[in-house]
Amino acid sequence: GNTVGGTAFKGYIDDLAISNYAKYTNEFSVSDISNEGKNILYSTFDSALSMRYGHEEGDIVDIITGDAFENKADNIYITDTMAKFGGRSAYFSGITDQRLNKTSPELNFGTSDFTIEMWVYPEEQTMSWPILVGAEGNNDFMLYLKGFSGEGNISFYTAAGDLINTNKKYTANKWTHYAVVRKDGVFTLFEDGKVIGTTGSYKTTNVNISNFSIGGNTVGGTAFKGYIDDLAIFNYAKYTGEFIVSNKPSGIK
C-alpha cells in the first residue's frame, strides 16, 4: 500500500528479493526459482554494539538470517584497523581454542555441490591453523592456510584425509581471496581466482559443516592470527573455472 489514492493490498507476500542486475532476460518457469542455488550464509563482520579497548566489539552477524555467531574467545573482535569491504573485519589474536561458532542445518551438504569463500589477511603464524573447520571439536573438515603437518602449505583436509595439500605458501600481511568449491564431487581450491589444487578422488565424501567454526577449534591447539572478511557460503558451485576476483563484496545472491 501507500499514502496516495487510499489503496491497500490484502493477502500474503513471501520471498521478497531485489537484485542489482537483470535476473530474468527471457521467459522462465516459476519452478526454476525454487530450484536455484542460494547464498546460505553471509557476513561482512561489520556489526558492532559496543567499544572495548579501542576496538569495536559486539554481535558478529550472519546477514541472511540475522543470527549472531557465538564468540568463544575474548580475543576475537570487530575492528576497523584492517578491512577488505565495509570498513570493518573480524580480528583473531591467535590464542588456542579461539573460534567463532555458527550453527545451521542447511550447511549439511552431504555429497552435494557447495562454495565457501572469504578474504583473509594473515599475520605471521606461529602454529598450524585453520581459517574454517566443520565442527569446533573435531577435524572432519578444515581449510588450513598453514599445512596440517606445519610445513606452511595451504591445505584442505577432511575426515577422508588430506584432500588437497598444495605447494603454495600463505602470504602474510596481504588480503587474499580463498574459495573451496565442490562441483559434481570434484573439490577445487582457489587462491585469488586461480586453481591451486583439485581432486576428484573423494566423490563419496560427506561434508557436514552445520556446526562450523572460524579461526580455530578445540582440537590440536590450532589458532589463526589475523583478519577475516566477507565470508559467504553457497549451496552450489559458484566457480566452475578460474575467475577474476570481484572488487565488490560477495553479497546476497
Side-chain angles (χ1 to χ4, degrees), residues 105-207:
E106 288 191 273
L107 297 175
N108 184 358
F109 296 116
T111 58
S112 300
D113 296 349
F114 66 85
T115 300
I116 301 170
E117 64 178 328
M118 69 188 79
W119 285 89
V120 181
Y121 187 103
E123 297 178 343
E124 291 292 342
Q125 306 297 310
T126 59
M127 65 182 83
S128 294
W129 50 278
I131 57 173
L132 185 144
V133 297
E136 61 178 339
N138 66 46
N139 292 330
D140 284 352
F141 178 102
M142 291 192 183
L143 175 59
Y144 272 91
L145 295 189
K146 188 174 184 182
F148 190 68
S149 60
E151 70 277 14
N153 294 352
I154 302 160
S155 63
F156 174 47
Y157 178 90
T158 75
D162 209 352
L163 271 66
I164 299 173
N165 189 16
T166 75
N167 292 319
K168 291 282 294 182
K169 308 292 184 180
Y170 76 91
T171 302
N173 303 317
K174 174 183 176 292
W175 281 111
T176 303
H177 182 271
Y178 289 97
V180 177
V181 178
R182 185 182 204 174
K183 173 65 174 175
D184 297 331
V186 177
F187 292 91
T188 304
L189 180 58
F190 297 89
E191 181 185 64
D192 285 337
K194 303 296 183 183
V195 175
I196 59 173
T198 187
T199 178
S201 300
Y202 301 90
K203 292 190 175 183
T204 61
T205 297
N206 288 307
V207 173

Side-chain angles (χ1 to χ4, degrees), residues 15-95:
D15 202 36
L16 170 67
I18 300 174
S19 306
N20 64 348
Y21 62 97
K23 188 173 183 180
Y24 307 114
T25 56
N26 292 292
E27 292 186 353
F28 59 93
S29 169
V30 176
S31 63
D32 293 339
I33 300 174
S34 60
N35 291 329
E36 283 185 332
K38 66 177 182 177
N39 192 184
I40 298 175
L41 179 146
Y42 181 57
S43 181
T44 57
F45 301 105
D46 283 346
S47 301
L49 301 179
S50 61
M51 295 291 291
R52 183 183 180 201
Y53 307 130
H55 297 282
E56 299 201 32
E57 189 172 53
D59 285 343
I60 299 174
V61 177
D62 172 3
I63 293 174
I64 293 175
T65 66
D67 298 327
F69 289 79
E70 186 176 359
N71 193 337
K72 297 293 186 72
D74 289 336
N75 60 302
I76 301 172
Y77 48 77
I78 298 167
T79 177
D80 58 5
T81 301
M82 190 69 61
K84 182 63 182 179
F85 298 114
R88 300 186 183 97
S89 64
Y91 181 70
F92 299 79
S93 298
I95 297 176

Side-chain angles (χ1 to χ4, degrees), residues 207-224:
V207 173
N208 180 4
I209 61 169
S210 56
N211 180 28
F212 78 94
S213 293
I214 307 166
N217 64 1
T218 60
V219 179
T222 59
F224 166 65

